[in-house]
Coordinates of all heavy atoms in Angstrom, one line a residue:
M3 N 0.8 -1.2 0.0 CA 0.0 -0.1 0.0 C 0.9 1.4 0.0 O 2.0 1.3 0.6 CB -0.9 0.1 1.2 CG -2.1 -0.8 1.2 SD -3.1 -0.6 2.5 CE -3.3 -2.3 3.1
V4 N 0.3 2.2 -0.6 CA 1.1 3.5 -0.7 C 0.5 4.4 0.3 O -0.8 4.8 0.1 CB 1.1 4.0 -2.1 CG1 1.6 5.4 -2.2 CG2 1.6 3.1 -3.2
P5 N 1.2 5.0 1.2 CA 0.6 6.0 2.2 C 0.2 7.2 1.5 O 0.8 7.6 0.4 CB 1.7 6.1 3.1 CG 2.7 5.2 3.0 CD 2.5 4.7 1.7
V6 N -0.8 7.9 2.0 CA -1.3 9.1 1.5 C -1.1 10.1 2.5 O -1.6 10.1 3.7 CB -2.8 9.0 1.2 CG1 -3.4 10.4 0.7 CG2 -3.0 7.9 0.0
T7 N -0.5 11.4 2.2 CA -0.5 12.5 3.0 C -1.2 13.7 2.5 O -1.1 14.0 1.2 CB 1.0 13.0 3.3 OG1 1.9 11.8 3.6 CG2 1.2 14.1 4.1
I8 N -1.9 14.4 3.4 CA -2.6 15.5 2.9 C -2.5 16.6 3.9 O -2.3 16.3 5.2 CB -4.1 15.3 2.5 CG1 -4.9 15.0 3.9 CG2 -4.4 14.4 1.5 CD1 -6.4 15.0 3.6
I9 N -2.6 17.9 3.4 CA -2.6 18.9 4.4 C -4.0 19.7 4.0 O -4.2 20.1 2.8 CB -1.5 20.0 4.3 CG1 -0.2 19.2 4.6 CG2 -1.7 21.3 5.0 CD1 1.0 20.1 4.4
G10 N -4.9 19.8 5.0 CA -6.2 20.4 4.6 C -6.3 21.8 5.4 O -5.9 21.8 6.6
T11 N -6.5 22.8 4.8 CA -6.7 24.2 5.4 C -8.1 24.7 5.3 O -8.8 24.5 4.2 CB -5.6 25.2 4.5 OG1 -4.5 24.7 4.5 CG2 -5.8 26.5 5.2
V12 N -8.5 25.1 6.5 CA -10.0 25.5 6.7 C -9.9 26.9 7.3 O -9.3 27.1 8.2 CB -10.7 24.5 7.6 CG1 -12.1 25.0 7.7 CG2 -10.4 23.0 7.0
V13 N -10.6 27.9 6.5 CA -10.7 29.3 7.1 C -12.0 29.5 7.4 O -12.9 29.6 6.7 CB -10.1 30.1 5.9 CG1 -10.2 31.7 6.4 CG2 -8.7 29.8 5.5
A14 N -12.2 30.0 8.7 CA -13.5 30.4 9.3 C -13.8 31.8 9.0 O -12.9 32.6 8.9 CB -13.4 30.2 10.8
K15 N -15.0 32.1 8.9 CA -15.5 33.5 9.0 C -15.2 33.9 10.4 O -15.4 33.1 11.3 CB -17.0 33.5 8.7 CG -17.4 33.1 7.2 CD -18.8 33.2 7.2 CE -19.3 32.6 5.8 NZ -20.7 32.6 5.5
P16 N -14.8 35.1 10.6 CA -14.5 35.6 12.0 C -15.6 35.3 13.0 O -15.3 34.9 14.1 CB -14.3 37.2 11.8 CG -13.8 37.3 10.4 CD -14.6 36.2 9.6
E17 N -16.9 35.6 12.6 CA -18.0 35.3 13.4 C -18.3 33.9 13.8 O -19.2 33.5 14.7 CB -19.2 36.0 13.0 CG -19.8 35.5 11.7 CD -19.1 36.0 10.3 OE1 -18.1 36.7 10.3 OE2 -19.9 36.0 9.3
T18 N -17.8 32.9 12.9 CA -18.0 31.5 13.2 C -16.7 30.8 13.7 O -16.8 29.5 13.9 CB -18.5 30.8 12.0 OG1 -17.6 30.8 11.0 CG2 -19.9 31.5 11.5
R19 N -15.7 31.6 13.9 CA -14.3 30.9 14.3 C -14.5 29.9 15.5 O -13.9 28.8 15.4 CB -13.3 32.0 14.6 CG -12.0 31.5 14.9 CD -11.2 32.3 15.8 NE -10.0 31.6 16.3 CZ -10.1 30.6 17.2 NH1 -11.0 30.2 17.8 NH2 -8.9 30.1 17.7
E20 N -15.1 30.4 16.7 CA -15.1 29.5 17.8 C -16.0 28.3 17.6 O -15.6 27.2 18.0 CB -15.7 30.3 19.0 CG -14.6 31.3 19.4 CD -15.2 32.1 20.7 OE1 -16.1 31.6 21.4 OE2 -14.5 33.1 21.0
E21 N -17.1 28.4 16.9 CA -17.9 27.2 16.6 C -17.2 26.3 15.6 O -17.2 25.1 15.8 CB -19.2 27.7 15.8 CG -20.2 26.6 15.6 CD -21.4 27.1 14.8 OE1 -21.5 28.3 14.5 OE2 -22.3 26.3 14.5
L22 N -16.6 26.7 14.7 CA -15.9 25.9 13.6 C -14.7 25.2 14.5 O -14.5 24.0 14.2 CB -15.3 26.7 12.5 CG -14.5 25.9 11.5 CD1 -15.4 24.7 10.9 CD2 -13.9 26.8 10.4
E23 N -13.9 25.9 15.3 CA -12.8 25.2 16.1 C -13.4 24.1 16.9 O -12.8 23.0 16.8 CB -12.3 26.3 17.0 CG -11.1 25.6 17.7 CD -10.3 26.5 18.6 OE1 -10.6 27.7 18.7 OE2 -9.3 26.1 19.2
R24 N -14.5 24.3 17.5 CA -15.2 23.1 18.3 C -15.5 22.0 17.4 O -15.2 20.8 17.7 CB -16.4 23.6 19.0 CG -16.2 24.4 20.3 CD -17.3 24.7 21.0 NE -18.4 25.4 20.5 CZ -18.6 26.7 20.3 NH1 -17.7 27.5 20.9 NH2 -19.6 27.2 19.6
L25 N -16.1 22.2 16.2 CA -16.6 21.1 15.3 C -15.3 20.5 14.8 O -15.3 19.2 14.6 CB -17.4 21.8 14.2 CG -18.8 22.2 14.4 CD1 -19.4 22.9 13.3 CD2 -19.6 20.9 14.8
L26 N -14.3 21.2 14.5 CA -13.0 20.6 13.9 C -12.3 19.8 15.0 O -11.8 18.5 14.8 CB -12.1 21.6 13.3 CG -12.6 22.5 12.1 CD1 -11.6 23.6 11.8 CD2 -12.7 21.4 11.0
A27 N -12.2 20.3 16.2 CA -11.5 19.6 17.3 C -12.2 18.3 17.6 O -11.6 17.3 18.1 CB -11.6 20.5 18.5
A28 N -13.6 18.3 17.4 CA -14.4 17.1 17.7 C -14.1 15.9 16.8 O -14.4 14.8 17.0 CB -15.9 17.4 17.7
Q29 N -13.4 16.3 15.7 CA -13.1 15.3 14.6 C -11.8 14.6 15.0 O -11.6 13.5 14.4 CB -12.9 15.9 13.3 CG -14.1 16.7 12.7 CD -15.5 16.0 12.9 OE1 -15.4 14.8 12.3 NE2 -16.5 16.5 13.4
V30 N -11.0 15.0 15.8 CA -9.7 14.5 16.1 C -9.8 13.0 16.7 O -9.2 12.1 16.1 CB -8.8 15.3 16.9 CG1 -7.5 14.6 17.2 CG2 -8.6 16.8 16.2
E31 N -10.5 12.9 17.8 CA -10.5 11.6 18.5 C -11.0 10.5 17.5 O -10.5 9.5 17.4 CB -11.1 11.7 19.8 CG -11.0 10.3 20.5 CD -11.7 10.6 22.0 OE1 -11.8 11.7 22.5 OE2 -12.1 9.5 22.4
P32 N -12.3 10.7 17.0 CA -12.8 9.7 16.2 C -12.0 9.3 14.9 O -12.0 8.2 14.4 CB -14.3 10.1 15.9 CG -14.3 11.5 16.2 CD -13.1 11.8 17.1
T33 N -11.5 10.4 14.4 CA -10.6 10.3 13.2 C -9.3 9.4 13.5 O -9.1 8.4 12.8 CB -10.3 11.5 12.4 OG1 -11.5 12.2 12.2 CG2 -9.4 11.3 11.3
R34 N -8.7 9.6 14.5 CA -7.5 8.9 15.0 C -7.8 7.4 15.1 O -7.0 6.5 15.1 CB -6.9 9.6 16.1 CG -6.2 10.8 15.8 CD -5.5 11.4 17.1 NE -4.7 12.6 16.7 CZ -4.2 13.4 17.6 NH1 -4.4 13.2 19.0 NH2 -3.5 14.4 17.2
A35 N -9.0 7.2 15.6 CA -9.5 5.7 15.9 C -9.9 5.0 14.5 O -10.1 3.7 14.7 CB -10.6 5.7 16.7
E36 N -9.9 5.7 13.4 CA -10.4 4.9 12.2 C -9.3 4.0 11.8 O -8.0 4.3 11.8 CB -10.6 6.1 11.1 CG -12.0 6.8 11.3 CD -12.2 7.9 10.3 OE1 -11.7 7.6 9.1 OE2 -12.5 9.0 10.6
P37 N -9.7 3.0 11.1 CA -8.7 2.1 10.5 C -7.9 2.8 9.4 O -8.5 3.7 8.6 CB -9.6 1.0 9.8 CG -10.9 1.0 10.5 CD -11.0 2.4 10.9
G38 N -6.6 2.7 9.3 CA -5.8 3.4 8.2 C -5.3 4.7 8.6 O -4.5 5.2 7.8
C39 N -5.8 5.3 9.6 CA -5.4 6.7 10.1 C -3.9 6.4 10.8 O -4.0 5.9 11.9 CB -6.3 7.3 10.9 SG -5.7 9.0 11.5
L40 N -2.9 6.9 10.2 CA -1.6 6.9 10.8 C -1.3 8.1 11.8 O -0.7 7.9 12.8 CB -0.5 6.9 9.6 CG -0.7 5.7 8.7 CD1 0.4 5.7 7.6 CD2 -0.6 4.3 9.4
N41 N -1.8 9.3 11.3 CA -1.9 10.4 12.3 C -2.7 11.5 11.7 O -3.0 11.5 10.4 CB -0.4 11.1 12.5 CG 0.2 11.8 11.3 OD1 0.5 11.1 10.3 ND2 0.2 13.1 11.4
Y42 N -3.3 12.2 12.5 CA -4.4 13.2 12.2 C -4.1 14.4 13.3 O -4.5 14.3 14.4 CB -5.7 12.6 12.3 CG -6.9 13.5 11.8 CD1 -7.2 13.6 10.6 CD2 -7.7 14.2 12.8 CE1 -8.3 14.4 10.1 CE2 -8.7 15.1 12.4 CZ -9.0 15.1 11.0 OH -10.0 15.9 10.6
D43 N -3.4 15.4 12.8 CA -3.1 16.5 13.7 C -3.7 17.8 13.4 O -3.7 18.1 12.1 CB -1.5 16.7 13.7 CG -0.8 15.4 14.0 OD1 -1.2 14.8 15.0 OD2 0.2 15.0 13.4
F44 N -4.3 18.5 14.3 CA -5.0 19.7 14.2 C -4.3 20.9 14.7 O -3.7 20.9 15.8 CB -6.4 19.5 15.0 CG -7.3 20.7 15.0 CD1 -7.7 21.3 13.8 CD2 -8.0 21.1 16.2 CE1 -8.4 22.4 13.8 CE2 -8.8 22.1 16.2 CZ -9.2 22.7 15.1
H45 N -4.3 21.9 13.8 CA -3.4 23.1 14.2 C -4.3 24.3 13.8 O -5.1 24.4 13.1 CB -2.1 23.2 13.3 CG -1.4 22.0 13.3 ND1 -0.4 21.8 14.2 CD2 -1.3 20.9 12.5 CE1 0.2 20.7 13.9 NE2 -0.4 20.0 12.9
A46 N -3.8 25.5 14.6 CA -4.3 26.8 14.2 C -3.1 27.6 13.7 O -2.0 27.4 14.2 CB -4.9 27.5 15.4
D47 N -3.3 28.4 12.8 CA -2.2 29.2 12.2 C -1.8 30.2 13.2 O -2.6 30.8 14.0 CB -2.7 30.1 10.9 CG -1.7 30.7 10.2 OD1 -1.2 31.9 10.8 OD2 -1.4 30.3 9.2
A48 N -0.6 30.4 13.5 CA 0.1 31.2 14.5 C -0.2 32.7 14.4 O -0.2 33.5 15.3 CB 1.5 30.9 14.7
E49 N -0.5 33.0 13.1 CA -0.7 34.5 12.9 C -2.1 34.8 12.5 O -2.5 35.9 12.6 CB 0.1 35.0 11.7 CG 1.7 34.8 12.1 CD 2.6 35.4 11.1 OE1 2.2 35.8 10.0 OE2 3.8 35.0 11.1
D50 N -3.0 33.8 12.1 CA -4.3 34.1 11.7 C -5.2 33.0 12.5 O -5.4 31.8 12.0 CB -4.5 33.9 10.1 CG -5.9 34.1 9.8 OD1 -6.8 34.3 10.7 OD2 -6.2 34.0 8.5
P51 N -5.9 33.3 13.6 CA -6.6 32.5 14.3 C -7.8 31.8 13.6 O -8.4 30.9 14.1 CB -7.1 33.2 15.6 CG -7.0 34.7 15.2 CD -5.9 34.7 14.0
C52 N -8.1 32.4 12.5 CA -9.4 31.9 11.8 C -8.9 30.8 10.8 O -9.7 30.2 10.1 CB -10.0 33.0 10.9 SG -11.0 34.1 11.9
T53 N -7.7 30.5 10.8 CA -7.1 29.5 9.8 C -6.7 28.2 10.5 O -5.9 28.4 11.5 CB -6.0 30.0 8.8 OG1 -6.4 31.2 8.2 CG2 -5.4 29.0 8.1
F54 N -7.2 27.1 10.2 CA -7.0 25.9 10.8 C -6.4 24.9 9.7 O -6.7 25.0 8.6 CB -8.3 25.3 11.4 CG -8.9 26.1 12.3 CD1 -10.1 26.9 12.0 CD2 -8.5 26.2 13.6 CE1 -10.8 27.8 13.0 CE2 -9.1 27.0 14.5 CZ -10.2 27.7 14.3
V55 N -5.5 24.1 10.3 CA -4.8 23.2 9.3 C -4.7 21.8 9.9 O -4.4 21.5 11.1 CB -3.3 23.8 9.1 CG1 -2.5 22.7 8.3 CG2 -3.3 25.1 8.5
F56 N -4.9 20.9 9.1 CA -4.8 19.4 9.5 C -3.7 18.8 8.6 O -3.6 19.0 7.4 CB -6.1 18.6 9.1 CG -7.3 18.8 10.1 CD1 -8.1 19.9 9.9 CD2 -7.4 18.1 11.2 CE1 -9.2 20.1 10.7 CE2 -8.4 18.4 12.1 CZ -9.3 19.4 11.9
Y57 N -2.8 18.1 9.3 CA -1.7 17.4 8.8 C -2.2 15.9 9.0 O -2.4 15.4 10.1 CB -0.4 17.6 9.3 CG 0.7 16.8 8.8 CD1 1.2 17.0 7.5 CD2 1.3 15.7 9.6 CE1 2.2 16.2 7.0 CE2 2.3 15.0 9.1 CZ 2.8 15.1 7.8 OH 3.8 14.3 7.3
E58 N -2.4 15.2 7.9 CA -2.9 13.8 8.0 C -2.0 12.8 7.2 O -1.6 13.2 6.1 CB -4.3 13.8 7.4 CG -5.2 14.8 7.9 CD -6.6 14.7 7.2 OE1 -7.0 13.6 6.8 OE2 -7.2 15.8 7.2
N59 N -1.8 11.6 7.7 CA -1.3 10.6 7.0 C -2.1 9.3 7.1 O -2.6 8.9 8.1 CB 0.2 10.1 7.5 CG 1.2 11.1 7.2 OD1 1.6 11.3 6.1 ND2 1.8 12.0 8.1
W60 N -2.4 8.7 6.0 CA -3.4 7.5 5.9 C -2.5 6.4 5.2 O -1.7 6.6 4.3 CB -4.5 7.9 5.0 CG -5.3 9.0 5.6 CD1 -5.2 10.4 5.6 CD2 -6.4 8.7 6.6 NE1 -6.1 10.9 6.4 CE2 -6.9 10.0 7.1 CE3 -6.9 7.6 7.1 CZ2 -7.9 10.1 7.9 CZ3 -8.2 7.8 8.0 CH2 -8.5 9.0 8.4
R61 N -3.0 5.2 5.7 CA -2.3 4.0 5.2 C -2.5 3.8 3.6 O -1.5 3.4 2.9 CB -2.9 2.7 5.9 CG -2.2 1.5 5.4 CD -2.9 0.4 6.3 NE -4.3 0.4 6.1 CZ -5.2 -0.2 6.9 NH1 -4.8 -0.9 8.0 NH2 -6.5 0.0 6.7
S62 N -3.7 4.3 3.1 CA -3.9 4.3 1.7 C -5.0 5.2 1.3 O -5.6 5.8 2.2 CB -4.5 2.7 1.4 OG -5.7 2.6 1.9
Q63 N -5.1 5.4 -0.1 CA -6.1 6.2 -0.5 C -7.5 5.7 -0.2 O -8.5 6.5 0.1 CB -6.0 6.4 -2.0 CG -7.2 7.3 -2.6 CD -6.9 8.8 -2.1 OE1 -5.7 9.3 -2.2 NE2 -8.0 9.5 -1.6
S64 N -7.7 4.4 -0.1 CA -9.0 3.8 0.2 C -9.4 4.1 1.7 O -10.5 4.3 1.9 CB -9.1 2.4 -0.2 OG -8.2 1.6 0.7
D65 N -8.3 4.2 2.5 CA -8.7 4.5 4.0 C -9.1 6.1 4.0 O -10.0 6.4 4.8 CB -7.3 4.4 4.7 CG -7.1 2.9 5.0 OD1 -8.1 2.0 5.2 OD2 -5.9 2.5 4.8
L66 N -8.4 6.9 3.4 CA -8.8 8.2 3.3 C -10.3 8.4 2.6 O -11.0 9.3 3.2 CB -7.8 9.2 2.4 CG -8.1 10.6 2.2 CD1 -8.3 11.4 3.6 CD2 -7.1 11.3 1.5
D67 N -10.5 7.7 1.6 CA -11.8 7.8 1.0 C -13.0 7.4 1.9 O -13.9 8.0 2.1 CB -12.0 6.8 -0.3 CG -11.0 7.4 -1.4 OD1 -10.6 8.6 -1.4 OD2 -10.8 6.6 -2.4
A68 N -12.6 6.2 2.8 CA -13.6 5.8 3.8 C -13.7 6.8 4.8 O -14.9 7.0 5.4 CB -13.1 4.5 4.3
H69 N -12.7 7.6 5.2 CA -12.9 8.6 6.2 C -13.7 9.6 5.9 O -14.5 10.2 6.6 CB -11.4 9.3 6.4 CG -11.4 10.6 7.0 ND1 -11.8 10.7 8.5 CD2 -11.1 11.8 6.6 CE1 -11.8 12.1 8.7 NE2 -11.3 12.7 7.7
M70 N -13.7 10.2 4.6 CA -14.5 11.2 4.0 C -16.1 10.7 4.1 O -16.8 11.7 4.1 CB -14.2 11.5 2.6 CG -12.8 12.0 2.6 SD -12.4 13.5 3.7 CE -13.4 14.7 3.1
L71 N -16.3 9.5 4.3 CA -17.7 9.1 4.4 C -18.3 8.8 5.8 O -19.4 8.4 6.1 CB -18.0 7.8 3.5 CG -17.6 8.0 2.1 CD1 -17.7 6.6 1.4 CD2 -18.5 9.0 1.4
M72 N -17.4 9.0 6.8 CA -17.7 8.8 8.1 C -18.8 9.7 8.8 O -18.7 10.9 8.5 CB -16.4 9.0 9.1 CG -15.4 7.8 8.8 SD -16.1 6.3 9.5 CE -14.9 5.2 8.8
P73 N -19.7 9.1 9.5 CA -20.9 9.8 10.0 C -20.4 11.0 11.0 O -21.1 12.0 11.1 CB -21.8 8.8 10.7 CG -21.0 7.6 10.9 CD -19.8 7.7 9.8
H74 N -19.3 10.9 11.7 CA -18.9 11.9 12.6 C -18.4 13.2 11.9 O -18.3 14.2 12.4 CB -17.7 11.4 13.5 CG -16.5 11.1 12.9 ND1 -15.6 12.0 12.5 CD2 -15.9 9.8 12.4 CE1 -14.5 11.4 11.9 NE2 -14.7 10.1 12.0
L75 N -18.3 13.2 10.6 CA -18.0 14.3 9.7 C -19.2 15.1 9.5 O -19.2 16.4 9.1 CB -17.3 14.0 8.5 CG -15.9 13.5 8.6 CD1 -15.3 13.0 7.2 CD2 -15.0 14.5 9.2
W76 N -20.4 14.6 9.5 CA -21.7 15.2 9.1 C -22.0 16.5 9.8 O -22.5 17.4 9.2 CB -22.8 14.2 9.0 CG -22.7 13.4 7.8 CD1 -22.2 12.1 7.8 CD2 -22.7 13.8 6.4 NE1 -22.1 11.6 6.4 CE2 -22.4 12.7 5.7 CE3 -23.0 15.0 5.8 CZ2 -22.4 12.6 4.2 CZ3 -23.0 15.1 4.4 CH2 -22.7 13.8 3.6
P77 N -21.8 16.5 11.1 CA -22.0 17.9 11.7 C -21.2 19.0 11.2 O -21.8 20.2 11.1 CB -21.6 17.6 13.2 CG -21.8 16.1 13.5 CD -21.5 15.5 12.1
L78 N -20.1 18.8 10.7 CA -19.1 19.7 10.2 C -19.6 19.9 8.6 O -20.0 21.1 8.2 CB -17.7 19.3 10.3 CG -16.8 20.1 9.4 CD1 -16.6 21.5 9.9 CD2 -15.3 19.5 9.6
V79 N -19.7 18.8 7.9 CA -20.1 19.0 6.5 C -21.4 19.7 6.2 O -21.5 20.5 5.3 CB -20.0 17.6 5.8 CG1 -20.5 17.5 4.4 CG2 -18.6 17.0 5.9
S80 N -22.4 19.4 7.0 CA -23.7 19.9 6.9 C -23.7 21.4 7.1 O -24.6 22.1 6.5 CB -24.6 19.2 7.9 OG -24.4 19.6 9.1
Q81 N -22.8 22.0 7.6 CA -22.7 23.5 7.9 C -21.6 24.2 7.3 O -21.3 25.3 7.5 CB -22.7 23.7 9.4 CG -23.9 23.1 10.2 CD -23.7 23.3 11.6 OE1 -24.0 24.6 12.0 NE2 -23.7 22.4 12.4
I82 N -20.9 23.4 6.4 CA -19.6 24.0 5.9 C -19.8 25.3 5.1 O -18.9 26.3 5.5 CB -18.9 23.0 5.0 CG1 -17.4 23.2 5.0 CG2 -19.4 23.0 3.7 CD1 -16.7 22.5 6.1
D83 N -20.8 25.6 4.5 CA -21.0 26.8 3.7 C -21.2 28.1 4.6 O -20.7 29.0 4.4 CB -22.1 26.6 2.6 CG -21.8 25.7 1.5 OD1 -20.6 25.5 1.2 OD2 -22.8 25.2 1.0
R84 N -21.9 27.7 5.7 CA -22.2 28.8 6.6 C -21.0 29.2 7.4 O -20.8 30.4 7.8 CB -23.4 28.4 7.7 CG -23.6 29.4 8.6 CD -24.9 28.8 9.6 NE -24.4 27.7 10.4 CZ -23.7 27.8 11.6 NH1 -23.3 29.0 12.0 NH2 -23.4 26.8 12.2
L85 N -20.1 28.3 7.8 CA -18.9 28.4 8.6 C -17.8 29.0 8.0 O -16.9 29.6 8.6 CB -18.6 27.2 9.3 CG -19.7 26.6 10.2 CD1 -19.4 25.2 10.6 CD2 -19.9 27.5 11.4
L86 N -17.5 28.7 6.7 CA -16.2 28.9 6.1 C -16.1 30.3 5.2 O -17.2 30.5 4.6 CB -15.8 27.8 5.2 CG -15.5 26.4 5.8 CD1 -15.1 25.5 4.8 CD2 -14.7 26.5 7.0
A87 N -15.0 30.9 5.3 CA -14.7 32.2 4.5 C -14.4 31.8 3.1 O -14.6 32.7 2.2 CB -13.8 33.0 5.2
Q88 N -13.9 30.6 3.0 CA -13.5 30.2 1.5 C -13.5 28.7 1.5 O -13.6 28.0 2.6 CB -12.0 30.7 1.2 CG -11.0 30.2 2.3 CD -9.6 30.9 2.1 OE1 -9.6 32.1 2.1 NE2 -8.7 30.1 1.8
P89 N -13.5 28.1 0.3 CA -13.5 26.6 0.3 C -12.3 26.0 0.9 O -11.3 26.6 1.0 CB -13.5 26.3 -1.4 CG -14.0 27.7 -1.9 CD -13.5 28.7 -1.0
V90 N -12.6 24.7 1.4 CA -11.5 23.9 2.0 C -10.4 23.8 0.9 O -10.6 23.5 -0.2 CB -12.1 22.6 2.5 CG1 -10.9 21.8 3.0 CG2 -13.1 22.8 3.5
E91 N -9.1 23.9 1.3 CA -8.0 23.6 0.5 C -7.3 22.3 0.9 O -7.1 22.1 2.1 CB -7.0 24.7 0.6 CG -5.7 24.5 -0.3 CD -4.7 25.5 -0.1 OE1 -5.0 26.5 0.3 OE2 -3.4 25.1 -0.4
I92 N -7.2 21.4 0.1 CA -6.6 20.1 0.3 C -5.3 19.9 -0.5 O -5.5 19.9 -1.9 CB -7.6 18.9 0.2 CG1 -8.7 19.1 1.2 CG2 -6.8 17.7 0.4 CD1 -9.8 18.0 1.1
R93 N -4.2 19.8 0.1 CA -3.0 19.5 -0.7 C -2.6 18.2 -0.5 O -2.5 17.6 0.7 CB -1.9 20.5 -0.2 CG -2.2 22.0 -0.5 CD -1.0 22.9 0.0 NE 0.2 22.5 -0.6 CZ 1.5 22.9 -0.2 NH1 1.6 23.5 1.0 NH2 2.5 22.6 -0.8
H94 N -2.3 17.4 -1.6 CA -1.9 15.9 -1.6 C -0.3 16.0 -1.8 O 0.1 16.7 -2.7 CB -2.5 15.2 -2.8 CG -4.0 15.1 -2.5 ND1 -4.6 13.9 -2.0 CD2 -5.1 16.0 -2.7 CE1 -5.8 14.1 -2.0 NE2 -6.2 15.3 -2.4
L95 N 0.3 15.3 -0.7 CA 1.8 15.4 -0.8 C 2.2 14.0 -1.0 O 1.6 13.0 -0.8 CB 2.3 15.8 0.6 CG 1.9 17.1 1.0 CD1 2.3 17.6 2.4 CD2 2.2 18.3 0.0
T96 N 3.5 13.9 -1.6 CA 4.2 12.6 -1.7 C 5.2 12.6 -0.7 O 6.2 13.4 -0.8 CB 4.8 12.5 -3.2 OG1 3.6 12.6 -4.0 CG2 5.5 11.2 -3.3
M97 N 5.4 11.7 0.3 CA 6.3 11.6 1.2 C 7.7 11.1 0.7 O 7.6 10.1 0.0 CB 5.9 10.8 2.5 CG 7.0 10.7 3.7 SD 6.4 9.9 5.0 CE 4.9 10.9 5.6
L98 N 8.7 11.8 0.9 CA 10.0 11.3 0.3 C 10.9 10.7 1.3 O 11.8 9.9 0.9 CB 10.7 12.5 -0.3 CG 10.0 13.2 -1.5 CD1 10.8 14.6 -1.9 CD2 9.7 12.4 -2.6
S99 N 10.6 10.9 2.5 CA 11.5 10.2 3.6 C 10.6 9.0 4.1 O 9.4 8.8 3.7 CB 11.6 11.2 4.8 OG 10.5 11.5 5.3
E100 N 11.3 8.2 4.9 CA 10.6 7.1 5.6 C 9.6 7.7 6.6 O 10.0 8.6 7.3 CB 11.6 6.1 6.1 CG 12.4 5.4 5.2 CD 11.6 4.5 4.3 OE1 10.8 3.8 4.8 OE2 12.0 4.4 3.0
M101 N 8.5 7.1 6.9 CA 7.6 7.5 7.9 C 8.2 7.1 9.2 O 8.8 6.1 9.4 CB 6.3 6.7 7.8 CG 5.3 7.2 8.7 SD 3.6 6.8 8.2 CE 3.3 7.9 6.9
A102 N 8.1 8.0 10.1 CA 8.7 7.8 11.4 C 8.0 6.8 12.2 O 6.8 6.6 12.0 CB 8.7 9.1 12.2

């Protein structure tokens, strides 16, 4: 299997920042428990508190695809247009080093 690495960037509207942070933080524990999740790390931009970043490593693309269908994502997905200042940005990376 080929591991998959992504960086997801989510930018909140200033008025929905705290709500979005709570919804995003709620994804960490259940996502880390999913089969194929190697790591799932949640960050806030040090200079822009409305910008949140996820660094994720998955065992395979099929594991990432399964994650995107998980029911624990629906409270977030169902409100995404109302909460975000811009569309979610997902960068797919190719890991060149060995995974730690």
Side-chain angles (χ1 to χ4, degrees):
M3 280 187 234
V4 177
V6 175
T7 301
I8 65 169
I9 295 176
T11 303
V12 181
V13 180
K15 295 175 182 175
E17 65 273 17
T18 64
R19 184 208 167 283
E20 289 181 17
E21 181 183 3
L22 182 59
E23 181 177 2
R24 282 192 303 274
L25 285 168
L26 294 173
Q29 302 308 312
V30 175
E31 187 177 332
T33 298
R34 286 179 173 171
E36 290 177 35
C39 179
L40 302 175
N41 72 291
Y42 187 82
D43 301 318
F44 178 43
H45 309 268
D47 187 287
E49 296 179 10
D50 178 1
C52 287
T53 299
F54 300 102
V55 177
F56 284 92
Y57 175 73
E58 309 174 30
N59 284 291
W60 295 88
R61 182 179 53 198
S62 69
Q63 183 63 50
S64 62
D65 291 316
L66 175 58
D67 293 343
H69 162 67
M70 299 308 292
L71 300 174
M72 289 290 169
H74 64 83
L75 291 175
W76 284 107
L78 172 64
V79 172
S80 67
Q81 301 183 63
I82 206 87
D83 291 336
R84 180 179 67 80
L85 297 169
L86 299 187
Q88 61 191 53
V90 174
E91 177 188 336
I92 298 177
R93 294 180 61 196
H94 293 261
L95 305 176
T96 301
M97 188 175 291
L98 301 177
S99 65
E100 291 294 320
M101 186 166 288

